[in-house]
Amino acid sequence: MILEMNNIKKSFGSLEVLKDISLSVDKGEVVSIIGPSGSGKSTLLRCATFLETIDSGEVLYLGKAAVTTQDGKAEYVAPAELRKMRSCYGLVFQQFNLFPHYTVLKNIIDAPINVHKRPKAEVIAEAKALLEKMGLGDKADAYPCQLSGGQQQRVAIARALAMKPDILFFDEPTSALDPELTGEVLKVIKQLAEDNMTMVVVTHEMPFARAVSDRVIFMAEGVIVEQGHPEEVFGNPKEERTRQFLQNYQN
Amino acid sequence: MTLMTMIIKMSEGLGKTCAIFFLTLLFSLPLGMIVALLRMSKNRIISNIVRFFISILRGTPLMLQLLAVTYGPYYLFGLSVSRNKLIPVVVAFAINYAAYFAEIYRGGIESIPIGQYEAATVLGYSKFQTFFKIILPQVVKRILPSVTNEVITLVKDTSIAFTVSYQEMFTIGKQIANSQTSFTPFVVAGVFYFIFNAVVDFVMGKFEKRLDYYR
């Protein structure tokens, strides 16, 4: 098991966003999370990546606990430990969040060199190979502002991959893109799925989720309503709430 | 007194004007960053104390602060007024400008999207690395126009040193104006400040241009 999240609860003030959610992801598995806005999908990813702290529950990476719950209160491991565990995963944001003052290449190589302390020459060679794979071989020296949204998002994916994560999270990776640019980003994610990258993708792209994932999770109002093989969830949803949601999408 | 002698006499004070200018920047630019970080401290007591001091420094005249720094130690503790007036002048100016720079820095730091911090955090950067590698360079670009404004004001504010009779260019000009009953020294001073600021404008423009490579 790469990721295990057990009985996660999270509230913002009086608003309960995650109500006792559990999610495990196996090595090589591609999981899509779908659901209406405000259902807690993004919050779940943010809790998994420690950008939000959970109220109770546990999160484990590769069997090692990052946060456990005792007497109903979540306890995180020491900050230094937590920082080490961050190398287990990567996160691709909706808004890309590239560093605007760095070139494309530096965006990708800076963290491997300065955080993981890896040899520069090796990291640069890998980064160039990654850019090639993303179809951006000629953009190494460009700045993010010179790229289209789709290109920026592919750089962001390369930046996450350069850290060699065990699992890669995508938080609505195409929602900030023009419709004609989503295809190029989805193609890259599809390619990663074929390479057996472990991934969790929060998305509104239903055909993509259906085609790429091993498992689809439908979330609403802070709970997992239904999950299973994409053909089951999309083709023959068991729950009324799922049917409703999918119907709205087809129209 | 001919115009030429006036210009020569006054330009003898230009070195001291420059001393106030450069020393003030040297101390206030970094001090402002410390003040800004304290002002943004999560500790309410610290941030409120700093906020209070900033409001005093921005809410009272620099001239008054200069008098307080120069003569305050004498009136409060009976210490003799320091003979080298450059020290109190630079102390007063540096503290005053640090308060202004702090607020400019704070505005700049707070304008950086939260996503930049989150991306850096997820990539494993430490807080120190995040600030110095990711945030600060972007802050510098954003605040440069406001900093230029302050620096230009500082050039003109150096004239306030006349209140404690520090022999910089404007103080000398004022003395000549009094002894010669002439307005000409003030015109000369105006031209000096204008040229000084033209140089400042040019240099800061160069800096801004150098950071034009990204948006």
Side-chain angles (χ1 to χ4, degrees), chain B:
Chain B
M1 193 184 280
T2 66
L3 178 64
M4 205 54 215
T5 6
M6 272 183 201
I7 293 172
I8 289 165
K9 282 205 155 187
M10 286 171 71
S11 56
E12 278 165 11
L14 272 178
K16 286 180 173 171
T17 299
C18 288
I20 303 173
F21 176 77
F22 286 111
L23 288 173
T24 299
L25 287 183
L26 180 70
F27 293 116
S28 63
L29 285 169
L31 182 62
M33 184 53 77
I34 296 169
V35 175
L37 294 176
L38 290 173
R39 168 76 177 79
M40 291 186 293
S41 162
K42 286 202 182 87
N43 183 323
R44 277 279 179 81
I45 300 168
I46 295 176
S47 77
N48 275 326
I49 291 173
V50 173
R51 205 166 129 182
F52 175 73
F53 277 106
I54 290 175
S55 75
I56 299 253
L57 289 167
R58 296 204 305 173
T60 60
L62 174 56
M63 194 186 284
L64 196 64
Q65 293 164 22
L66 177 58
L67 289 169
V69 170
T70 311
Y71 302 112
Y74 169 75
Y75 286 112
L76 289 174
F77 312 110
L79 299 174
S80 59
V81 176
S82 75
R83 192 131 358 116
N84 185 355
K85 293 278 176 39
L86 180 62
I87 295 165
V89 167
V90 169
V91 169
F93 272 66
I95 293 173
N96 179 275
Y97 272 81
Y100 283 94
F101 285 135
E103 288 297 276
I104 292 174
Y105 294 158
R106 185 171 69 91
I109 291 170
E110 286 176 352
S111 76
I112 303 296
I114 186 105
Q116 292 290 306
Y117 291 92
E118 292 185 344
T121 308
V122 169
L123 287 168
Y125 287 99
S126 66
K127 283 209 166 135
F128 187 84
Q129 285 175 321
T130 302
F131 185 74
F132 284 101
K133 290 181 73 84
I134 309 299
I135 306 302
L136 192 58
Q138 299 185 53
V139 169
V140 169
K141 180 183 167 77
R142 287 184 189 214
I143 64 173
L144 218 47
S146 320
V147 169
T148 303
N149 248 336
E150 284 307 311
V151 175
I152 284 173
T153 306
L154 172 61
V155 170
K156 294 172 286 179
D157 273 358
T158 55
S159 62
I160 291 174
F162 88 85
T163 32
V164 293
S165 318
Y166 180 62
Q167 294 290 313
E168 46 74 53
M169 182 265 287
F170 191 76
T171 311
I172 297 171
K174 204 164 177 301
Q175 285 158 355
I176 298 172
N178 284 344
S179 64
Q180 306 285 315
T181 36
S182 158
F183 191 75
T184 322
F186 294 128
V187 177
V188 174
V191 172
F192 272 138
Y193 287 124
F194 185 78
I195 294 169
F196 198 154
N197 268 329
V199 175
V200 168
D201 213 24
F202 177 78
V203 172
M204 296 303 277
K206 282 268 178 217
F207 278 130
E208 276 183 47
K209 207 146 202 179
R210 269 178 72 172
L211 294 174
D212 252 358
Y213 66 89
Y214 74 91
R215 255 180 294 131

Side-chain angles (χ1 to χ4, degrees), chain A residues 46 51 83 86 89 91 93 97-102 110-111 114-115 143 145 159 163, chain B residues 114-116 118-126 129 133-135 137-138 213-215:
Chain A
R46 293 174 61 82
L51 289 175
R83 226 185 113 200
R86 290 188 191 282
Y89 62 79
L91 172 62
F93 298 86
N97 294 343
L98 292 175
F99 303 133
H101 57 308
Y102 284 172
D110 195 67
N114 290 304
V115 175
Y143 284 89
C145 62
R159 179 174 72 173
M163 299 296 275
Chain B
I114 186 105
Q116 292 290 306
E118 292 185 344
T121 308
V122 169
L123 287 168
Y125 287 99
S126 66
Q129 285 175 321
K133 290 181 73 84
I134 309 299
I135 306 302
Q138 299 185 53
Y213 66 89
Y214 74 91
R215 255 180 294 131

